[in-house]
Amino acid sequence: MPELPEIETICRGLRSHLAGRRITRVEIFEPRLRHVIDPGLPGFLRGKTIIDVDRRAKYVVIRLENKNIWLFHLGMSGKLIHVSPNMPRQKHDHIVVTLDNLQELRYHDPRRFGLSLATSEPELDHLPQLRDLGLDPFDPSFNGQYLYSFTRGSRRRIRDLLLDQQIIAGIGNIYANEILSRVGVRPTVRSFRLTRETVARIAAMIPTVMNEAIRWCGTSFSDYRDADDKFGEFQNHLRVYDRAGERCRKCASTIKRIAMGNRSAFYCPSCQS
DNA sequence: CGGGCGGCCTGGAGGC
DNA sequence: TGCCTCCAGGCCGCCC
């Protein structure tokens, strides 16, 4: 569920709570996530101090002492929240970590599409999950020319191309639709039909929309909450996503929803061509 | 190989 | 009230 802006928001929240804290206790209540959690994980974490928390695409990177790393992907319904131990444990709280200030970090994930594993600084870039990631939208070398090198000659629909993590890392279905709405391009357009200029406008819009969503602390469409279990607010600023049947904020036409593969796409039929 | 599709899970919404 | 189907923000593997 969470895309780049949600993960960025979670990482910022976690960093403020976790940096400098030592892990004193680790409990795994349900190891069966996307992959079964390594039984050695609690032993790996126990006693280690958390140095920092940062984001890599849609992954949460918890940096520990001695270049050790605890990596998370939240799948579609994962939450990483910092709570007081008084908070009753919820159904689907799969991992509970106690810190040296007695506060807790909990991983909650009803659909169990998430990933949690132990790794290290030197191994991180070589993990199968991370090694093939494309550029982050905030990478200085991400620009129109880079994106055009992928759209040129590709028969894929532009919405699907924007979702390809090996091209741009961090965009999911909500933001792919929002980005295209802002530049007036229909999600169904075949990439090779887009001019270099249009692709440059799409590329420029990507970090713009990501920044805006980060300022609103992400989109709480359904499951997403930040590190303090609070809602984001960008759902109030969406132009097309999940607005089928509602009026376009610009021209008052009716927003359409279509099925594209397994996933919905949304657009304004008069603003986007 | 590029590109499309189904499967993995649970839960919430809506139809009957 | 329940039972059914559909849908969900991701990712991976299989197939043509």
Side-chain angles (χ1 to χ4, degrees):
Chain A
M1 82 194 223
E3 309 179 36
L4 186 155
E6 290 75 37
I7 300 300
E8 181 62 32
T9 304
I10 288 167
C11 287
R12 290 179 186 186
L14 288 179
R15 185 177 305 137
S16 72
H17 290 302
L18 303 183
R21 298 263 70 95
R22 197 166 53 85
I23 295 169
T24 57
R25 178 183 160 104
V26 182
E27 294 166 287
I28 312 251
F29 295 97
E30 174 54 87
R32 293 171 303 164
L33 305 185
R34 165 169 287 282
H35 305 288
V36 175
I37 296 174
D38 187 325
L41 184 69
F44 168 84
L45 295 173
R46 208 174 301 122
K48 289 200 170 70
T49 298
I50 299 168
I51 308 299
D52 201 2
V53 180
D54 53 38
R55 180 184 64 77
R56 194 70 154 264
K58 300 178 192 175
Y59 290 82
V60 177
V61 180
I62 302 178
R63 297 186 188 279
L64 308 167
E65 61 182 86
N66 297 330
K67 299 191 187 299
N68 288 296
I69 287 175
W70 186 18
L71 185 72
F72 271 99
H73 190 291
L74 306 190
M76 282 173 73
S77 59
K79 290 201 281 185
L80 261 179
I81 55 171
H82 177 265
V83 290
S84 135
N86 305 327
M87 171 75 75
R89 201 161 66 79
Q90 309 289 309
K91 189 178 181 187
H92 305 303
D93 280 354
H94 305 314
I95 306 175
V96 176
V97 161
T98 307
L99 305 166
D100 58 357
N101 61 356
L102 303 181
Q103 298 300 104
E104 294 181 354
L105 173 67
R106 300 185 188 176
Y107 181 65
H108 173 96
D109 186 0
R111 293 171 69 183
R112 294 192 275 119
F113 283 3
L115 168 98
S116 173
L117 57 86
T119 183
S120 68
E121 190 76 55
E123 289 171 18
L124 186 65
D125 288 329
H126 306 290
L127 292 176
Q129 291 87 354
L130 298 191
R131 67 174 178 223
D132 298 323
L133 288 175
L135 290 182
D136 191 276
F138 296 122
D139 190 301
S141 41
F142 177 74
N143 57 27
Q145 186 51 49
Y146 173 81
L147 188 57
Y148 187 67
S149 72
F150 291 97
T151 59
R152 185 175 43 199
S154 170
R155 287 196 42 78
R156 300 171 79 182
R157 298 175 193 276
I158 184 63
R159 195 284 309 260
D160 293 334
L161 194 131
L162 293 182
L163 288 177
D164 187 338
Q165 303 300 299
Q166 299 191 26
I167 300 177
I168 315 155
I171 301 176
N173 199 30
I174 294 180
Y175 296 108
N177 280 280
E178 291 300 306
I179 289 157
L180 292 172
S181 83
R182 306 269 189 124
V183 290
V185 173
R186 288 200 191 194
T188 48
V189 173
R190 302 280 173 183
S191 299
F192 72 89
R193 297 201 176 279
L194 297 167
T195 63
R196 190 185 288 268
E197 290 68 31
T198 303
V199 173
R201 285 195 298 119
I202 296 171
M205 188 56 74
I206 293 170
T208 301
V209 170
M210 296 287 124
N211 267 324
E212 208 177 303
I214 291 168
R215 277 204 300 282
W216 291 106
C217 297
T219 305
S220 286
F221 171 67
S222 55
D223 301 299
Y224 164 72
R225 301 291 184 276
D226 71 9
D228 293 297
D229 210 20
K230 300 259 174 27
F231 288 80
E233 291 181 42
F234 195 67
Q235 64 277 14
N236 304 317
H237 303 270
L238 297 172
R239 303 205 181 171
V240 291
Y241 187 82
D242 200 38
R243 296 193 66 239
E246 297 178 37
R247 290 214 305 268
C248 173
R249 300 190 198 281
K250 213 181 211 169
C251 75
S253 301
T254 306
I255 302 295
K256 283 192 71 169
R257 170 190 179 277
I258 54 167
M260 261 178 74
N262 287 338
R263 233 173 272 259
S264 297
F266 299 86
Y267 65 94
C268 168
S270 68
C271 293
Q272 292 172 257
S273 54

